[in-house]
Amino acid sequence: MPFFHTYDGTELAYHLQGEGEPLICVPGGPMRAAVYLGDLGGLSAHRQLVLLDLRGTGDSAVPDDPATYRCDRLVDDVEALRVHLALERIDLLGHSDSGNLVELYAARYPQRLRSLTLVTPGARAVGVETTDQDRTDAFALRSAEPWYEAGVSALKEIQAGRGGSEQWAAVEPFAYGRWDAAARTHAAGKATQRNARAMAVYYQDGAFDTAATVAALHNLPVPVLVLAGEYDAGPTPDRAAELAALFPQAEFAVQRGAAHFPWLDDPGAFARTVRAFLDPEVHSVQAGGIRLAYRVWGDPSALPVVLAHGRGGSSRDWTEIAEQLAADHRVYALDFRGHGLSDWTGRYSFELFRDDLHAFMEARNLAGATVVGHSMGGAAAYLLAEREPGLIGRLVVEEAPTLIPLDLPRPSAERPDEELDFDWPVVPSIDAQLNDPDPAGRERLGDITAPTLVIGGGPGSHLPQDQLARMAQQIPDCRFVTIDAGHLVHAARPADFLAALRSFGMD
């Protein structure tokens, strides 16, 4: 394991997991060894995690001066690690109590940051404190749990200053979204991973100059993610939102069903949120209560185009088309819920995908944009055009299901063994709708007022082309063209697909 020497000569350890761009991760506790972070829900598959053992914890040495355990005096240990790694600027992540530490680092060394990720963070450094009432309210969200009553009684004892080991053990389940075997094992490790002597110093008087830190963070010139857990008592989502409001470039997210350790409660949800934030090519927006990830190309002042992918796809599917369209357009490609780096909600339907597209366009102020939808995304697009006639400027529907019941209903699909880039329940949910669709979707095609182009893939497609032709006839201002490419027209014959768009007026 690698070591380095910090400003006062203390030897500190760090652990490396994964490959790629480094992400420096500072553990909380306070003063808990970094081992409890694990691989942060599989995030190490996408970034190299640099997991720092703070002085006096894990494999790092005990300093000669115990006063250096104070939070503000640990800041230069993080800076020494940056120098040791020869990184001009760093992506920095802090969890729990180390939120305070990395906030102080951001205030002291803003020019050394590229991004800041705050996971269920402490915020005493900026004057945002979790109150007894916050904890009581957060605990009440778990009232259906069998350990709730004992935990609430223990919390009252702790708040009254009478908390012992038994009481602290009783409130432990509230830190996890599920109090299962994995959570119990994780919680049990805390006893040997924390430095009690260092904990007592971490928050000592003088650690924080709140006014100065807040002033510095108000001008922090880097993107910040504040990720809260829905059930977390410290910070609650409301307190985490207060922290996010201090930063000029903050993204705020609440992980559903999670508490204080969100990468344990739902590793996939955690990793998707952090990956989307750390990827400079990906943006996120809260739309209709769902975090939707999206990619953007082109001049912000150009005419907007929104690209909607098919089932099992993502915004990446449009890269070649988007790069070409970006010469004359501002191009947005979203990940629908359950796909790519957007939230995976577990419930899916054509109507929900329609609502995602609607909420995304509203959130990005894209009324009047051209919308191009493939397959499932095409169905979502024309359902939206039926419901909101004035929202879409032009509509392109590529190989979308016509919502006529299938002659041969699809049997139950079996989930593949390999890891998927989308949430498997999408498949049975949409198959059920294809077998027995809501007739309103096809009956309201005449309500579409946007000029529309329907593109079929010819005899190589699994969709009946005569049904696509009839769909085009039902839409008042519509053209139907065939490009002999099968179902994936824009991928198989991109030049012809783009030519069709140009002939439709997308110059």
Side-chain angles (χ1 to χ4, degrees):
M1 131 199 7
F3 294 88
F4 67 102
H5 288 87
T6 187
Y7 66 92
D8 64 351
T10 304
E11 186 177 66
L12 303 184
Y14 60 98
H15 309 265
L16 298 176
Q17 291 198 40
E19 297 180 355
E21 285 289 316
L23 174 64
I24 294 179
C25 304
V26 185
M31 304 307 292
R32 185 173 180 180
V35 64
Y36 84 92
L37 295 172
D39 66 355
L40 285 177
L43 193 59
S44 60
H46 309 280
R47 299 292 295 257
Q48 182 182 62
L49 305 184
V50 183
L51 303 161
L52 174 64
D53 279 340
L54 293 168
R55 56 177 58 212
T57 71
D59 294 301
S60 288
V62 173
D64 293 333
D65 182 3
T68 60
Y69 287 134
R70 203 173 71 178
C71 183
D72 58 321
R73 293 174 179 170
L74 298 172
V75 170
D76 283 325
D77 289 347
V78 178
E79 174 61 4
L81 176 57
R82 181 198 67 79
V83 172
H84 167 76
L85 296 172
L87 298 173
E88 183 66 24
R89 299 171 70 204
I90 58 174
D91 295 315
L92 182 61
L93 179 149
H95 170 247
S96 187
D97 292 273
S98 74
N100 297 285
L101 173 51
V102 299
E103 289 152 22
L104 294 181
Y105 182 92
R108 191 179 301 177
Y109 295 106
Q111 75 280 9
R112 297 304 185 190
L113 272 183
R114 186 164 59 184
S115 71
L116 181 63
T117 301
L118 298 166
V119 179
T120 58
R124 292 191 199 180
V126 294
V128 177
E129 295 271 9
T130 297
T131 67
D132 286 349
Q133 188 61 50
D134 288 335
R135 293 186 178 89
T136 299
D137 293 344
F139 279 31
L141 298 175
R142 318 298 293 279
S143 60
E145 300 285 0
W147 35 261
Y148 170 74
E149 293 296 342
V152 169
S153 296
L155 176 64
K156 291 177 181 177
E157 291 296 299
I158 291 168
Q159 290 175 340
R162 298 188 295 270
S165 59
E166 182 179 344
Q167 284 71 36
W168 283 106
V171 301
E172 197 74 64
F174 292 95
Y176 298 87
R178 296 182 308 278
W179 188 235
D180 55 14
R184 290 182 172 89
T185 299
H186 188 265
K190 183 166 61 175
T192 58
Q193 294 163 4
R194 291 169 74 169
N195 181 332
R197 185 183 185 191
M199 289 170 56
V201 178
Y202 190 81
Y203 285 120
Q204 276 187 348
D205 289 347
F208 305 129
D209 182 344
T210 300
T213 303
V214 169
L217 297 183
H218 271 315
N219 297 305
L220 188 67
V222 301
V224 177
L225 171 66
V226 178
L227 175 60
E230 178 183 11
Y231 298 140
D232 196 9
T236 62
D238 285 348
R239 293 289 174 257
E242 285 183 43
L243 173 61
L246 298 179
F247 299 97
Q249 299 181 47
E251 176 184 331
F252 175 61
V254 177
Q255 186 170 315
R256 302 302 175 192
H260 198 59
F261 303 95
W263 65 90
L264 290 175
D265 297 326
D266 188 338
F270 176 82
R272 283 189 295 275
T273 301
V274 178
R275 283 177 59 200
F277 170 71
L278 292 175
D279 188 335
E281 296 182 356
V282 177
H283 307 267
S284 294
V285 64
Q286 292 290 332
I290 304 295
R291 185 187 57 81
L292 297 177
Y294 65 99
R295 301 172 191 271
V296 183
W297 298 260
D299 187 337
S301 65
L303 294 173
V305 175
V306 179
L307 306 177
H309 64 79
R311 186 173 76 174
S314 74
S315 55
R316 288 182 178 274
D317 297 350
W318 291 106
T319 300
E320 184 175 1
I321 297 299
E323 289 174 345
Q324 295 295 318
L325 290 176
D328 304 295
H329 298 83
R330 178 68 162 177
V331 184
Y332 300 81
L334 78 154
D335 291 346
F336 282 112
R337 71 177 69 198
H339 294 78
L341 296 178
S342 289
D343 284 346
W344 294 14
T345 60
R347 292 180 57 251
Y348 306 102
S349 67
F350 285 117
E351 292 76 17
L352 288 172
F353 295 129
R354 172 203 65 198
D355 294 345
D356 285 348
L357 182 59
H358 188 186
F360 176 76
M361 293 182 68
E362 292 282 354
R364 296 291 84 187
N365 194 27
L366 294 173
T370 296
V371 176
V372 181
H374 171 247
S375 193
M376 179 193 81
Y382 74 69
L383 290 175
L384 178 58
E386 293 172 354
R387 188 177 190 181
E388 301 289 339
L391 182 63
I392 295 174
R394 284 177 172 271
L395 175 64
V396 178
V397 178
E398 174 200 356
E399 278 284 303
T402 56
L403 302 183
I404 295 172
L406 298 177
D407 290 336
L408 293 175
R410 291 188 179 180
S412 298
E414 293 187 9
R415 190 192 188 285
D417 292 334
E418 66 267 19
E419 185 176 350
L420 301 174
D421 290 331
F422 66 95
D423 196 9
W424 175 251
V426 170
V427 172
S429 298
I430 294 303
D431 280 353
Q433 284 197 283
L434 291 172
N435 289 339
D436 185 21
D438 183 347
R442 59 183 182 272
E443 292 171 355
R444 294 188 59 187
L445 290 169
D447 294 341
I448 297 175
T449 60
T452 303
L453 173 66
V454 175
I455 300 176
S461 170
H462 67 278
L463 295 183
Q465 299 296 291
D466 60 331
Q467 292 183 7
L468 290 176
R470 285 199 297 274
M471 168 192 278
Q473 292 172 352
Q474 292 176 265
I475 299 172
D477 184 4
C478 184
R479 282 192 278 165
F480 175 60
V481 300
T482 297
I483 300 174
D484 191 2
H487 188 57
L488 296 170
V489 180
H490 71 272
R493 295 180 61 179
D496 293 327
F497 183 82
L498 287 164
L501 298 188
R502 286 192 292 270
S503 70
F504 182 54
M506 289 181 58
D507 296 322

